[in-house]
Amino acid sequence: MEPFSDQFMEFHPIHGTNVRLDYSGTQATRVESFANGVCFSKHPLKPGEIFLIEIEDKELGWCGHLRIGLTARDPRTLEVVPEYSLPDLTDLGDSWVFAITRNHNKIIEDPGVQEVGEGGLAGGHRLGRGEAEDGAGGVGNGGGGGNSMNPKTFFTDSHLHIENVRIPRDKLVGRSRPGRFSHILDDLYKTNALPPTARRSRIGVLYVPKGRDLADMHIVINGEDMGASAKGIPTVQPLYAVVDVFAATKCVRIVQVEYGFSSLQTLCRKAIQKHIVHRMAIDWLELPEALKHYCKYE
């Protein structure tokens, strides 16, 4: 199954009190403190449709990072946007949120964990290893998040497969800022060797149908599926994406994923990139700044 999205992804105008959205509604910045950074997708997600964001900016001095997940609560029905996604939003019920850490985001299947439908996760959230291990080094993986993906697979497979869902890979991994070591950094991003909480890291959430009116929530980090972080989520109500711009994560932006035919903007980008030697050369072209930015970083 490959969902064909016909909507431009944006953040919902209802959000935490410390969040500021840009004019396009695709960039969310926490302007002060470390909390009240909860954001939602403007529209409910379709089955298999990923809500993908890139970490644009970080803020030193805080402990903790981005949180992401799903909620069956329409943001318009909230009297007050919760200060935290964990535990405030999840304590309301019908919300499933995952805390992204520098390591240990991969879900290890535990046969002893019950699913929502069996009464095991009705409270609303299942965390991987939790933020208690945020400062721990990645044992045996160089601190790279425990990725076992074969780098060759990333370059040869055009889609990421999660159950029966197919997601185009071309947008799942970020690119470094143009510079002397860009070519080295880009390879590090593609092999998921940098921490998931680093700048340019791309993190997405989606749900995969699993039987009648149920689904599993999956988190994708830099092109790799972390597994089902919440199982047996009811889908009788629309599910919105939740992004908590929390603590050390300062600013995120939405990355648009194209499932069907490429947009005119994408075709222009590919044509421009085909005829330049290096991304830095884009700055010399007589193009609108927004198009230059898109060509350099997508």
Side-chain angles (χ1 to χ4, degrees), residues 184-215:
I184 299 175
L185 289 172
D186 284 345
D187 286 341
L188 291 177
Y189 281 109
K190 288 176 181 177
T191 55
N192 201 8
L194 298 182
T197 56
R199 289 184 180 88
R200 312 271 76 79
S201 182
R202 292 189 177 182
I203 301 170
V205 62
L206 69 151
Y207 67 93
V208 178
K210 299 286 287 188
R212 183 177 180 181
D213 296 332
L214 292 175

Short mmCIF file of all heavy atoms in Angstrom, two decimals, residues 184-215:
data_model
loop_
_atom_site.label_atom_id
_atom_site.label_comp_id
_atom_site.label_asym_id
_atom_site.label_seq_id
_atom_site.Cartn_x
_atom_site.Cartn_y
_atom_site.Cartn_z
N ILE A 184 31.12 14.17 3.09
CA ILE A 184 31.33 13.19 4.16
C ILE A 184 30.11 13.13 5.07
O ILE A 184 29.63 12.06 5.42
CB ILE A 184 32.59 13.57 4.98
CG1 ILE A 184 33.83 13.55 4.08
CG2 ILE A 184 32.76 12.61 6.16
CD1 ILE A 184 35.09 14.01 4.79
N LEU A 185 29.58 14.30 5.43
CA LEU A 185 28.43 14.35 6.31
C LEU A 185 27.21 13.72 5.67
O LEU A 185 26.43 13.03 6.33
CB LEU A 185 28.13 15.80 6.71
CG LEU A 185 29.12 16.45 7.67
CD1 LEU A 185 28.82 17.93 7.82
CD2 LEU A 185 29.09 15.77 9.02
N ASP A 186 27.02 13.92 4.37
CA ASP A 186 25.86 13.35 3.70
C ASP A 186 25.88 11.83 3.77
O ASP A 186 24.86 11.19 3.96
CB ASP A 186 25.81 13.80 2.24
CG ASP A 186 25.32 15.23 2.11
OD1 ASP A 186 24.76 15.76 3.08
OD2 ASP A 186 25.50 15.83 1.04
N ASP A 187 27.08 11.24 3.62
CA ASP A 187 27.18 9.79 3.73
C ASP A 187 26.86 9.32 5.15
O ASP A 187 26.27 8.25 5.36
CB ASP A 187 28.58 9.31 3.33
CG ASP A 187 28.79 9.36 1.82
OD1 ASP A 187 27.79 9.42 1.09
OD2 ASP A 187 29.96 9.38 1.38
N LEU A 188 27.25 10.13 6.15
CA LEU A 188 26.95 9.78 7.53
C LEU A 188 25.45 9.82 7.78
O LEU A 188 24.89 8.97 8.48
CB LEU A 188 27.66 10.74 8.50
CG LEU A 188 29.18 10.62 8.57
CD1 LEU A 188 29.75 11.68 9.50
CD2 LEU A 188 29.60 9.23 9.05
N TYR A 189 24.77 10.80 7.20
CA TYR A 189 23.32 10.87 7.35
C TYR A 189 22.66 9.66 6.70
O TYR A 189 21.73 9.06 7.26
CB TYR A 189 22.77 12.15 6.72
CG TYR A 189 22.94 13.37 7.60
CD1 TYR A 189 23.84 14.37 7.28
CD2 TYR A 189 22.18 13.53 8.75
CE1 TYR A 189 24.01 15.49 8.08
CE2 TYR A 189 22.33 14.64 9.56
CZ TYR A 189 23.24 15.63 9.22
OH TYR A 189 23.40 16.72 10.02
N LYS A 190 23.11 9.30 5.51
CA LYS A 190 22.50 8.21 4.77
C LYS A 190 22.67 6.87 5.48
O LYS A 190 21.81 5.99 5.38
CB LYS A 190 23.08 8.14 3.36
CG LYS A 190 22.61 9.27 2.45
CD LYS A 190 23.28 9.19 1.10
CE LYS A 190 22.82 10.34 0.20
NZ LYS A 190 23.52 10.33 -1.11
N THR A 191 23.77 6.69 6.19
CA THR A 191 24.00 5.43 6.90
C THR A 191 23.52 5.51 8.34
O THR A 191 23.74 4.60 9.13
CB THR A 191 25.49 5.06 6.88
OG1 THR A 191 26.26 6.16 7.42
CG2 THR A 191 25.95 4.77 5.47
N ASN A 192 22.84 6.63 8.70
CA ASN A 192 22.26 6.79 10.03
C ASN A 192 23.32 6.66 11.11
O ASN A 192 23.09 6.07 12.16
CB ASN A 192 21.15 5.76 10.26
CG ASN A 192 20.20 6.20 11.36
OD1 ASN A 192 20.27 7.31 11.85
ND2 ASN A 192 19.32 5.30 11.75
N ALA A 193 24.51 7.22 10.86
CA ALA A 193 25.62 7.11 11.80
C ALA A 193 25.66 8.27 12.78
O ALA A 193 26.43 8.24 13.73
CB ALA A 193 26.95 7.04 11.04
N LEU A 194 24.84 9.28 12.57
CA LEU A 194 24.79 10.41 13.49
C LEU A 194 23.62 10.24 14.45
O LEU A 194 22.65 9.55 14.14
CB LEU A 194 24.65 11.72 12.71
CG LEU A 194 25.80 12.06 11.77
CD1 LEU A 194 25.55 13.41 11.11
CD2 LEU A 194 27.13 12.08 12.50
N PRO A 195 23.67 10.86 15.63
CA PRO A 195 22.59 10.70 16.60
C PRO A 195 21.24 11.17 16.04
O PRO A 195 21.19 12.16 15.30
CB PRO A 195 23.04 11.61 17.76
CG PRO A 195 24.51 11.72 17.62
CD PRO A 195 24.79 11.67 16.14
N PRO A 196 20.16 10.50 16.37
CA PRO A 196 18.83 10.90 15.88
C PRO A 196 18.43 12.29 16.32
O PRO A 196 17.56 12.91 15.71
CB PRO A 196 17.91 9.85 16.51
CG PRO A 196 18.78 8.68 16.79
CD PRO A 196 20.12 9.25 17.14
N THR A 197 19.06 12.81 17.38
CA THR A 197 18.70 14.12 17.90
C THR A 197 19.55 15.25 17.32
O THR A 197 19.41 16.40 17.74
CB THR A 197 18.84 14.13 19.43
OG1 THR A 197 20.18 13.75 19.78
CG2 THR A 197 17.88 13.15 20.07
N ALA A 198 20.42 14.94 16.35
CA ALA A 198 21.29 15.95 15.77
C ALA A 198 20.53 16.84 14.79
O ALA A 198 19.45 16.49 14.31
CB ALA A 198 22.45 15.27 15.05
N ARG A 199 21.08 18.02 14.51
CA ARG A 199 20.52 18.86 13.45
C ARG A 199 20.53 18.10 12.13
O ARG A 199 21.42 17.33 11.86
CB ARG A 199 21.34 20.15 13.30
CG ARG A 199 21.17 21.13 14.45
CD ARG A 199 21.95 22.41 14.16
NE ARG A 199 21.82 23.38 15.24
CZ ARG A 199 22.60 23.43 16.30
NH1 ARG A 199 23.58 22.54 16.44
NH2 ARG A 199 22.41 24.34 17.24
N ARG A 200 19.51 18.35 11.30
CA ARG A 200 19.29 17.72 10.01
C ARG A 200 18.74 16.32 10.13
O ARG A 200 18.46 15.68 9.11
CB ARG A 200 20.58 17.68 9.14
CG ARG A 200 21.35 18.98 9.04
CD ARG A 200 20.87 19.83 7.90
NE ARG A 200 19.62 20.50 8.20
CZ ARG A 200 19.52 21.61 8.95
NH1 ARG A 200 20.57 22.14 9.49
NH2 ARG A 200 18.35 22.17 9.17
N SER A 201 18.60 15.79 11.34
CA SER A 201 17.99 14.49 11.50
C SER A 201 16.52 14.57 11.13
O SER A 201 15.84 15.55 11.46
CB SER A 201 18.14 14.01 12.95
OG SER A 201 17.59 12.72 13.12
N ARG A 202 16.02 13.55 10.45
CA ARG A 202 14.62 13.52 10.02
C ARG A 202 13.89 12.39 10.73
O ARG A 202 14.32 11.24 10.70
CB ARG A 202 14.51 13.39 8.51
CG ARG A 202 15.02 14.63 7.79
CD ARG A 202 14.74 14.62 6.30
NE ARG A 202 15.18 15.87 5.71
CZ ARG A 202 15.05 16.20 4.43
NH1 ARG A 202 14.44 15.35 3.61
NH2 ARG A 202 15.48 17.36 3.97
N ILE A 203 12.77 12.76 11.34
CA ILE A 203 12.01 11.82 12.16
C ILE A 203 10.55 11.88 11.74
O ILE A 203 9.99 12.97 11.58
CB ILE A 203 12.14 12.18 13.65
CG1 ILE A 203 13.63 12.15 14.07
CG2 ILE A 203 11.32 11.24 14.52
CD1 ILE A 203 13.89 12.73 15.43
N GLY A 204 9.95 10.72 11.53
CA GLY A 204 8.57 10.68 11.07
C GLY A 204 7.73 9.71 11.87
O GLY A 204 8.25 8.79 12.52
N VAL A 205 6.41 9.92 11.84
CA VAL A 205 5.48 9.03 12.51
C VAL A 205 4.37 8.66 11.53
O VAL A 205 3.95 9.48 10.70
CB VAL A 205 4.90 9.69 13.78
CG1 VAL A 205 4.11 10.96 13.44
CG2 VAL A 205 4.03 8.72 14.57
N LEU A 206 3.91 7.43 11.60
CA LEU A 206 2.80 6.96 10.77
C LEU A 206 2.11 5.81 11.48
O LEU A 206 2.64 5.28 12.48
CB LEU A 206 3.29 6.50 9.40
CG LEU A 206 4.12 5.21 9.35
CD1 LEU A 206 3.92 4.51 8.01
CD2 LEU A 206 5.61 5.51 9.56
N TYR A 207 0.94 5.45 10.98
CA TYR A 207 0.29 4.25 11.54
C TYR A 207 -0.01 3.28 10.41
O TYR A 207 -0.36 3.67 9.29
CB TYR A 207 -0.96 4.60 12.35
CG TYR A 207 -2.12 5.18 11.58
CD1 TYR A 207 -3.14 4.36 11.08
CD2 TYR A 207 -2.24 6.56 11.39
CE1 TYR A 207 -4.23 4.88 10.40
CE2 TYR A 207 -3.32 7.09 10.72
CZ TYR A 207 -4.32 6.26 10.22
OH TYR A 207 -5.39 6.78 9.55
N VAL A 208 0.14 2.00 10.75
CA VAL A 208 -0.04 0.92 9.79
C VAL A 208 -1.24 0.10 10.20
O VAL A 208 -1.29 -0.41 11.33
CB VAL A 208 1.22 0.03 9.74
CG1 VAL A 208 1.02 -1.13 8.77
CG2 VAL A 208 2.44 0.85 9.36
N PRO A 209 -2.26 -0.03 9.34
CA PRO A 209 -3.45 -0.81 9.69
C PRO A 209 -3.10 -2.25 10.05
O PRO A 209 -2.29 -2.90 9.40
CB PRO A 209 -4.29 -0.76 8.41
CG PRO A 209 -3.82 0.48 7.69
CD PRO A 209 -2.37 0.60 8.00
N LYS A 210 -3.74 -2.73 11.13
CA LYS A 210 -3.52 -4.10 11.60
C LYS A 210 -4.87 -4.70 11.98
O LYS A 210 -5.27 -4.69 13.14
CB LYS A 210 -2.59 -4.12 12.81
CG LYS A 210 -1.22 -3.55 12.56
CD LYS A 210 -0.36 -4.48 11.74
CE LYS A 210 0.09 -5.66 12.55
NZ LYS A 210 1.08 -6.48 11.81
N GLY A 211 -5.60 -5.15 11.01
CA GLY A 211 -6.91 -5.71 11.30
C GLY A 211 -7.99 -4.64 11.33
O GLY A 211 -7.77 -3.49 10.96
N ARG A 212 -9.14 -5.02 11.79
CA ARG A 212 -10.30 -4.15 11.74
C ARG A 212 -10.20 -3.05 12.81
O ARG A 212 -10.15 -3.34 14.00
CB ARG A 212 -11.57 -4.97 11.95
CG ARG A 212 -12.85 -4.15 11.85
CD ARG A 212 -14.07 -5.04 12.00
NE ARG A 212 -15.31 -4.26 11.92
CZ ARG A 212 -16.53 -4.77 12.04
NH1 ARG A 212 -16.65 -6.08 12.24
NH2 ARG A 212 -17.59 -4.00 11.96
N ASP A 213 -10.19 -1.79 12.37
CA ASP A 213 -10.21 -0.62 13.24
C ASP A 213 -9.05 -0.57 14.23
O ASP A 213 -9.15 0.02 15.30
CB ASP A 213 -11.53 -0.54 14.01
CG ASP A 213 -12.73 -0.34 13.10
OD1 ASP A 213 -12.55 0.24 12.02
OD2 ASP A 213 -13.84 -0.77 13.47
N LEU A 214 -7.92 -1.19 13.89
CA LEU A 214 -6.74 -1.15 14.74
C LEU A 214 -5.51 -0.86 13.88
O LEU A 214 -5.50 -1.12 12.68
CB LEU A 214 -6.54 -2.47 15.49
CG LEU A 214 -7.56 -2.85 16.56
CD1 LEU A 214 -7.28 -4.23 17.10
CD2 LEU A 214 -7.57 -1.82 17.68
N ALA A 215 -4.46 -0.32 14.51
CA ALA A 215 -3.24 0.00 13.79
C ALA A 215 -2.06 0.00 14.75
O ALA A 215 -2.23 0.08 15.97
CB ALA A 215 -3.36 1.36 13.10
#
